[in-house]
């Protein structure tokens, strides 16, 4: 009888424990959904603000921290380059692309001289980043550009090794 009671108590305890685990998992999934929605909103806001700066030079002055010796039109192009880079970063951050796919897309994006000029011009902006996913992605781009510059092939799509996750 004592053994049967202990068995029932243990089974009830295990059911409660499983119910708590399921509840915690539901909360984690809800938090992830909220985070993704927040990231989507932030990306829309970033694009909206950047578009205004690209379209209106007087508004661009608010965020234009690039070297003033760079022509204004080129600095506006840097804003657009930043939008492309941030878009890829947000895709990665939201989990829509993995690190290998991010690397491939960055490898393609940084084929243009303008993207490389933007990257060089924004070097000081990245220097202030703490150790975060964003700074990690920045280091990936730095290494990728170095690999592309040193590559002895025109087949850019095979240059570099994606970092291991």
């Amino acid at each position: 009888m004592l053994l049967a009671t202990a068995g029932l108590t243990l089974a009830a305890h295990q059911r409660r424990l499983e119910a708590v685990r399921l509840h915690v998992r539901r909360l984690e999934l809800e938090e992830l959904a909220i985070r993704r929605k927040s990231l989507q909103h932030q990306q829309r806001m970033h694009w909206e603000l950047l578009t205004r700066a690209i379209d209106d030079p007087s508004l661009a002055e608010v965020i234009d921290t690039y070297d003033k010796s760079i022509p204004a039109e080129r600095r506006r192009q840097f804003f657009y380059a930043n939008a492309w880079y941030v878009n890829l970063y947000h895709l990665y951050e939201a989990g829509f692309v993995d690190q290998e796919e991010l690397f491939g897309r960055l490898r393609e994006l940084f084929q243009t001289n303008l993207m490389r000029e933007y990257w060089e011009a924004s070097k000081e902006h990245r220097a202030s980043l703490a150790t975060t996913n964003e700074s990690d992605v920045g280091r990936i781009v730095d290494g990728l550009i170095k690999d592309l510059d040193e590559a002895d092939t025109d087949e850019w799509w095979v240059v570099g090794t994606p970092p291991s996750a």
Side-chain angles (χ1 to χ4, degrees):
M1 179 75 166
L2 185 59
L3 191 55
T5 302
L8 289 174
T9 302
L10 180 60
H13 178 70
Q14 287 175 332
R15 283 191 301 276
R16 283 192 304 271
L17 187 57
E18 185 59 26
V20 168
R21 283 188 192 128
L22 287 173
H23 180 70
V24 167
R25 183 63 182 146
R26 259 192 308 276
L27 290 175
E28 289 170 347
L29 290 173
E30 287 173 12
E31 180 182 358
L32 182 61
I34 291 168
R35 180 170 165 71
R36 282 189 173 173
K37 189 171 184 168
S38 295
L39 283 170
Q40 289 169 344
H41 174 73
Q42 194 282 331
Q43 187 175 11
R44 279 191 304 277
M45 288 300 301
H46 178 260
W47 175 247
E48 177 67 30
L49 292 168
L50 213 47
T51 300
R52 289 179 185 191
I54 290 168
D55 292 342
D56 184 342
S58 69
L59 295 179
E61 290 179 31
V62 172
I63 62 168
D64 188 352
T65 58
Y66 295 107
D67 184 339
K68 297 307 179 206
S69 68
I70 300 169
E73 182 176 333
R74 180 56 48 108
R75 293 192 318 263
R76 284 180 41 196
Q77 289 173 324
F78 287 172
F79 295 148
Y80 188 68
N82 174 264
W84 274 98
Y85 172 73
V86 169
N87 180 59
L88 284 178
Y89 173 74
H90 281 259
L91 286 172
Y92 171 67
E93 186 74 4
F96 295 124
V97 298
D98 62 18
Q99 205 171 56
E100 187 173 343
E101 187 173 355
L102 172 70
F103 185 82
R105 290 180 181 204
L106 288 168
R107 183 170 37 201
E108 179 180 359
L109 187 62
F110 280 91
Q111 288 306 300
T112 68
N113 288 331
L114 187 59
M115 279 303 295
R116 291 182 189 203
E117 285 179 41
Y118 150 72
W119 196 252
E120 180 62 28
S122 63
K123 171 174 42 180
E124 286 79 21
H125 304 158
R126 292 185 309 282
S128 65
L129 294 174
T131 302
T132 61
N133 281 344
E134 189 173 0
S135 64
D136 292 343
V137 172
R139 282 189 292 282
I140 290 170
V141 172
D142 291 339
L144 173 61
I145 290 172
K146 183 177 184 262
D147 289 347
L148 288 167
D149 288 343
E150 294 173 354
D152 59 358
T153 180
D154 291 334
E155 297 176 343
W156 58 265
W157 54 92
V158 298
V159 173
T161 304
S164 52

